[in-house]
Amino acid sequence: RLEPVKQAIPKINKYPILLKQQRLIQDHYDFLRCSVNKNVLICTGWIIQPDCESYRIKIEYAVGYEPKSTILSPLIDPSKKIHMYNDRSLCLSYPPDMKWNEKTEIFRFTIPWIAKWIIYYEIFKGNGGVWEGPESPVHFKESERNRNKDRAFI
C-alpha cells in the first residue's frame, strides 16, 4: 500500500512583510503610530478632516488578509446601514472585488478607504440617515469580519 506523499507548505517569514507595511504607512501617514505584535501590524491614530469630527482609528493587519479597521472614537452605534460590524470594525470592500495578499499595500487602500468612510458617515449623520457611500451587492455578515490575528497565534 502506497502512502500519499506529504508536501511541505512553504512558510513565509511574515516579519519583514509587516515591517515593510509599517514603513510605507509611516512614510505616508505621520498621524499613525504602528507596532508589530504576534505577527500582526497594529496602527492607531487620529484622522482629522476639515469640517468633520476627529476619529481615532485602529488598523490590525495579519499578512495576506484585508486589515481589520476599527473606529475607536467617537463611539458609534454599529449598524449594517453604515457598514460597521458589531465590534465597531468597518466593512470597507467587497471580497470578490479585492483579493488581498501579502503584497497588497495598506497605505494605498485601507487608510484612504477609512478616510472616505468617515466622510460618508458625516454625510449620513447630516442627511437623515441615508448612506451615500459605495454598496456591495450583498449585505455583509458578522462572520465575514476581517481578521486581526495571525493563524499561527489562533
Side-chain angles (χ1 to χ4, degrees), residues 54-84:
S54 297
Y55 288 76
R56 183 160 171 73
I57 65 164
K58 181 178 186 180
I59 299 166
E60 299 166 278
Y61 172 67
V63 173
Y65 298 95
E66 181 177 353
K68 179 178 181 179
S69 305
T70 307
I71 302 293
L72 301 176
S73 178
L75 286 181
I76 298 170
D77 289 330
S79 166
K80 283 185 179 183
K81 199 177 213 183
I82 61 170
H83 298 256
M84 180 183 273

Side-chain angles (χ1 to χ4, degrees), residues 80-83 94 97 130-139:
K80 283 185 179 183
K81 199 177 213 183
I82 61 170
H83 298 256
Y94 178 55
D97 291 343
V130 176
W131 186 258
E132 295 187 18
E135 296 278 350
S136 67
V138 294
H139 280 289

Side-chain angles (χ1 to χ4, degrees), residues 14-80:
K14 296 172 184 176
Y15 194 69
I17 296 167
L18 294 168
L19 290 180
K20 179 181 178 187
Q21 292 279 6
Q22 179 179 358
R23 182 183 51 78
L24 287 169
I25 290 168
Q26 291 181 323
D27 285 352
H28 290 86
Y29 300 101
D30 62 358
F31 66 90
L32 290 170
R33 298 291 170 255
C34 302
S35 62
V36 176
N37 184 17
K38 294 184 179 179
N39 277 348
V40 176
L41 175 63
I42 301 169
C43 301
T44 58
W46 289 89
I47 292 183
I48 302 168
Q49 299 190 57
D51 302 319
C52 288
E53 193 170 346
S54 297
Y55 288 76
R56 183 160 171 73
I57 65 164
K58 181 178 186 180
I59 299 166
E60 299 166 278
Y61 172 67
V63 173
Y65 298 95
E66 181 177 353
K68 179 178 181 179
S69 305
T70 307
I71 302 293
L72 301 176
S73 178
L75 286 181
I76 298 170
D77 289 330
S79 166
K80 283 185 179 183

Side-chain angles (χ1 to χ4, degrees), residues 1-12:
R1 184 172 144 211
L2 295 173
E3 292 293 322
V5 177
K6 291 185 179 181
Q7 300 237 343
I9 298 171
K11 288 188 174 189
I12 59 170

